[in-house]
Amino acid sequence: MTNGQHHHEHGHTHGHSHGDGGDAMLAELLDLDAEVLGESLSEVAGWVAGHAGPLPAGRVLDLGCGTGTGTFALLRESADAEVQAVDGSEFMLERLRERARALGVEKRVRTVRADLDGAWPDFGTVDVVWTSAFMHHLADPDEALRKLYASLRPGGLLAVIELAGFPRFLPDTLGDGLEGRCQAVVDEWRTQEMPHIGDDWGARLRDAGFVVEEERAFDTELRSPLTEAARRYARASLGRTRERAADRLSSADLALLDALLDPEGPESLARRDDLLVRASRIAWAARRP
Ligand SMILES: C[S@@+](CC[C@H](N)C(=O)[O-])C[C@H]1O[C@@H](n2cnc3c(N)ncnc32)[C@H](O)[C@@H]1O
């Protein structure tokens, strides 16, 4: 494996359009997600490794890797596995490489920049594919599943992980259901932007020829006292929600959201002791026969 370098494996430009500003905000959110929900993530990675069997020198693909949450979780599962971490965003990949260097695992990670809505680079034959919070971004996920089937060795494992809804941070009673109303607006926006969000991945996997061995939900609920990172995660997530939902919320809802996001105010997320973190992922372990 090569280390620390930027690999232009192929000639594609990155097809999706958010610039570095958007990527920076998403990257921060992904890193906080990994930190705050790390325990649940390790559980998912352990579950995937259990399905995959021993991974000595395993060839692993992390598709839509972002800042590398899944890459690093899988590397922790096996001392010898090597991961190709693939994403369309150079910003994410640079952050992943920095982290790999800091953890001393850069020789076991190769980053590949590719717009996975376009032609795919040749990943070689792989033993395990991990793809988390990514498949719903694709314009044609069935085509991607066919390509993944072809990339996996017979007996190889594909793990698809998706968030079941967006993480929640506020008690249901706050603002008489404020967060639910915000999420309804964001969900509508997300469904328009990403029509495959919430799809039945089990059915798609079977249609692509995989044998689905298990489908499992991984739920997390963290309550007070929350860590500082959990508060930052709540702030970053609700800040993003505000950006997306502002035009569609009532002025009373917007005022309350702003009061929560105000670091100095009496309602601030920085101080409240009724904050919580509720998140749920669904994972499918699918084998190429
Ligand atoms: C929600 S993030 C998930 C990141 C990571 N898998 C995780 O679980 O933290 C989705 C990632 O998919 C990447 N992405 C979106 N569309 C893509 C495309 N067409 N080709 C390649 N990467 C894409 C984004 O840059 C982003 O890093």
Side-chain angles (χ1 to χ4, degrees), residues 10 99 216 245:
H10 55 93
R99 179 101 180 277
R216 190 169 144 190

Side-chain angles (χ1 to χ4, degrees), residues 47-95:
W47 176 79
V48 168
H51 275 279
L55 278 177
R59 293 151 301 175
V60 179
L61 197 61
D62 180 359
L63 213 63
C65 58
T67 55
T69 299
T71 296
F72 298 115
L74 290 168
L75 287 177
R76 279 192 296 275
E77 286 300 319
S78 155
D80 298 309
E82 296 185 339
V83 179
Q84 296 186 71
V86 190
D87 203 280
S89 158
E90 182 53 31
F91 185 92
M92 298 289 176
L93 295 177
E94 180 52 35
R95 197 144 160 159

